[in-house]
Amino acid sequence: AVDVGTNANPRLEASFADTPEYAWMQANASQYGFELSFPDGNSQGVDFEPWHWRFVGSEQAQQTFASASGSQAGHNQGSASTPSDPQHRLRQYLARIALGESNRGTKIGPNTKTGAYGEYQFIPSTRDTILERYGLDGWSENKAERDQATVALIQDFGEEVGTDIIGLIEAGNFKAADDLLGKHVYENGQVVRWGQFTSLPGGAEQHHLWNDPAILAQYGPNGDAGQNPLLASINTNSQRCNPALLASNGNIDNSNFQQGTGEALGTLKDPLAGQQYVVTSNFGWRTHPTKGGTSYHAGIDLAWDAGTPFRAADGGEVVVSQWYGDYGNYILVDHGGGLATWYAHNQTNYVKVGDKVSPGQVIGTIGSTGNSTGPHIDFGVVENFSRADVFNSGQPVNPRKYINFPAQRL
């Protein structure tokens, strides 16, 4: 699929339908094998997306989208679903989660300890994040919306851990998805990442349901637990191509940015120098501010007013500028020599990938995007950084090694 916009309408909004470019697409796209993925009133229940076009010009593509392109009645029946169908597998996996989390929606809570509620047991902070980011409510009375919110949560968590979990599910690799979504991750006896759905097979709670091979098979990739027609309206493309996650949605305002030198001085400076900010969380182990439990904080949190500009700690080249899971709007600058710095939860990124910045140049503004308790930047320093793997290479180190920040506010 492709998302189509114009210089005059770059934000992928419904108003694109009023442009001459959209009229041209309507008249000519079919000649090149493309069709509108989500027309107004589509049977999948997805909002009208005049910018989103998919290629159906090959026989394989026509087969893939055949059920989605059919009538409302045919779609709701889910009759085209087979064990090898990615949509079947995704429906199976949602049923798998719902069985363990709420006995298929019969024990919805709320949980007296965590506040988790609903078929998929969203805790309040997770519900708020997905609702704000996608407009989907994990506590909704509407089954299709709950399903879609859960797909969005899985997609976001996959971005956080650097794995396409939806792709694993669609490929039938439920075991790998269970390992990522169901289990707590420990280091030195401490939880460093909490499982999202701990009742999945092998998850943190080791749910007794999965001791029955028949149930495990029924809720596996080739089972029939997901045949409920209410599960038929899942749309993973609306998550993967959601305009809220794209650089063109306005979170990157590169219009007035002037290229810097790209040359580093070799000394990192405070990105909020001159501001009366406070340090609200240091580098290292801490109690997670929104999820609870012990977690490892790889940066330092500098809290100050939303919209306040912050500066590059040194010169270099921008290698990441995007929405990045719980980090929200995120910037990563390569300073050369294996040193890089990141800036997260930003309200606005002023730079895009490939931009050269000078030491101390303004590159964004403070925000509270992603999983955040208030306006701040999460500032991090990475040593032994390599562009071969911008999200996972190198070692985060205490930023106080390079910059004399004030003491943490208690």
Side-chain angles (χ1 to χ4, degrees):
V2 294
D3 291 326
V4 181
T6 70
N7 288 337
N9 191 313
R11 297 190 178 186
L12 305 185
E13 296 173 339
S15 58
F16 179 62
D18 300 324
T19 66
E21 289 82 3
Y22 175 74
W24 186 93
M25 293 290 291
Q26 284 282 73
N28 297 282
S30 61
Q31 299 178 37
Y32 303 96
F34 284 85
E35 70 177 17
L36 190 63
S37 296
F38 307 117
D40 198 14
N42 64 82
S43 63
Q44 293 152 285
V46 179
D47 289 344
F48 176 40
E49 295 185 355
W51 62 84
H52 194 150
W53 297 77
R54 63 189 179 204
F55 180 70
V56 292
S58 69
E59 181 179 352
Q60 179 183 358
Q62 290 171 6
Q63 292 174 355
T64 298
F65 293 113
S67 59
S69 301
S71 67
Q72 178 72 34
H75 183 81
N76 282 344
Q77 291 168 2
S79 57
S81 179
T82 65
S84 62
D85 176 8
Q87 284 284 296
H88 171 90
R89 291 167 175 163
L90 191 53
R91 290 193 291 273
Q92 281 289 109
Y93 202 81
L94 289 183
R96 188 182 183 94
I97 295 172
L99 179 66
E101 293 292 317
S102 67
N103 194 24
R104 290 302 301 266
T106 62
K107 298 180 180 179
I108 62 176
N111 185 294
T112 56
K113 293 182 178 180
T114 66
Y117 179 81
E119 181 181 11
Y120 299 108
Q121 290 290 287
F122 275 57
I123 62 174
S125 60
T126 301
R127 178 214 185 190
D128 291 345
T129 296
I130 298 302
L131 187 59
E132 177 183 356
R133 196 171 296 171
Y134 297 101
L136 297 166
D137 188 356
W139 293 358
S140 173
E141 295 183 359
N142 181 279
K143 168 66 173 169
E145 183 173 359
R146 296 196 303 271
D147 294 341
Q148 201 69 44
T150 306
V151 172
L153 173 58
I154 295 171
Q155 177 69 17
D156 270 20
F157 187 73
E159 291 179 359
E160 180 181 331
V161 300
T163 304
D164 182 8
I165 302 177
I166 294 294
L168 291 174
I169 295 168
E170 291 178 338
N173 193 348
F174 283 17
K175 175 63 168 60
D178 292 343
D179 288 344
L180 290 166
L181 289 167
K183 297 180 179 180
H184 299 333
V185 176
Y186 295 85
E187 289 183 6
N188 300 320
Q190 300 288 335
V191 178
V192 295
R193 191 179 76 232
W194 296 86
Q196 290 290 319
F197 302 106
T198 55
S199 64
L200 284 167
E205 296 174 1
Q206 292 290 320
H207 204 296
H208 65 87
L209 283 166
W210 310 113
N211 293 327
D212 185 336
I215 292 179
L216 192 61
Q218 183 185 10
Y219 287 82
N222 299 315
D224 61 359
Q227 293 299 324
N228 185 333
L230 289 175
L231 288 169
S233 60
I234 301 164
N235 169 43
T236 53
N237 281 338
S238 72
Q239 306 310 324
R240 295 178 180 178
C241 302
N242 191 304
L245 300 179
L246 300 177
S248 58
N249 76 334
N251 291 332
I252 297 179
D253 182 359
N254 196 240
S255 57
N256 295 316
F257 178 78
Q258 300 295 317
Q259 294 292 322
T261 65
E263 297 178 2
L265 299 178
T267 303
L268 298 184
K269 301 293 186 182
D270 187 341
L272 288 177
Q275 304 292 343
Q276 298 300 309
Y277 65 86
V278 293
V279 175
T280 55
S281 185
N282 273 317
F283 178 90
W285 291 102
R286 66 175 182 176
T287 299
H288 197 284
T290 62
K291 298 180 179 179
T294 303
S295 64
Y296 196 78
H297 187 216
I300 188 170
D301 288 346
L302 314 177
W304 194 231
D305 295 337
T308 302
F310 61 83
R311 302 175 182 275
D314 199 359
E317 182 176 339
V318 178
V319 291
V320 178
S321 181
Q322 65 178 62
W323 184 278
Y324 184 35
D326 280 358
Y327 285 96
N329 291 325
Y330 176 91
I331 296 170
L332 181 67
V333 179
D334 180 8
H335 303 295
L339 191 66
T341 55
W342 82 69
Y343 315 76
H345 304 296
N346 315 328
Q347 183 179 87
T348 304
N349 294 357
Y350 288 148
V351 292
K352 65 181 189 304
V353 174
D355 281 347
K356 302 293 195 300
V357 300
S358 299
Q361 186 171 5
V362 172
I363 58 174
T365 60
I366 293 175
S368 187
T369 56
N371 191 350
S372 169
T373 58
H376 73 289
I377 59 170
D378 183 358
F379 174 71
V381 178
V382 179
E383 294 179 341
N384 301 314
F385 172 76
S386 169
R387 295 193 190 186
D389 188 353
V390 294
F391 289 110
N392 299 304
S393 71
Q395 177 64 44
V397 299
N398 193 336
R400 292 184 184 275
K401 176 179 178 180
Y402 292 89
I403 299 172
N404 184 26
F405 290 107
Q408 179 177 356
R409 182 184 67 183
L410 300 178

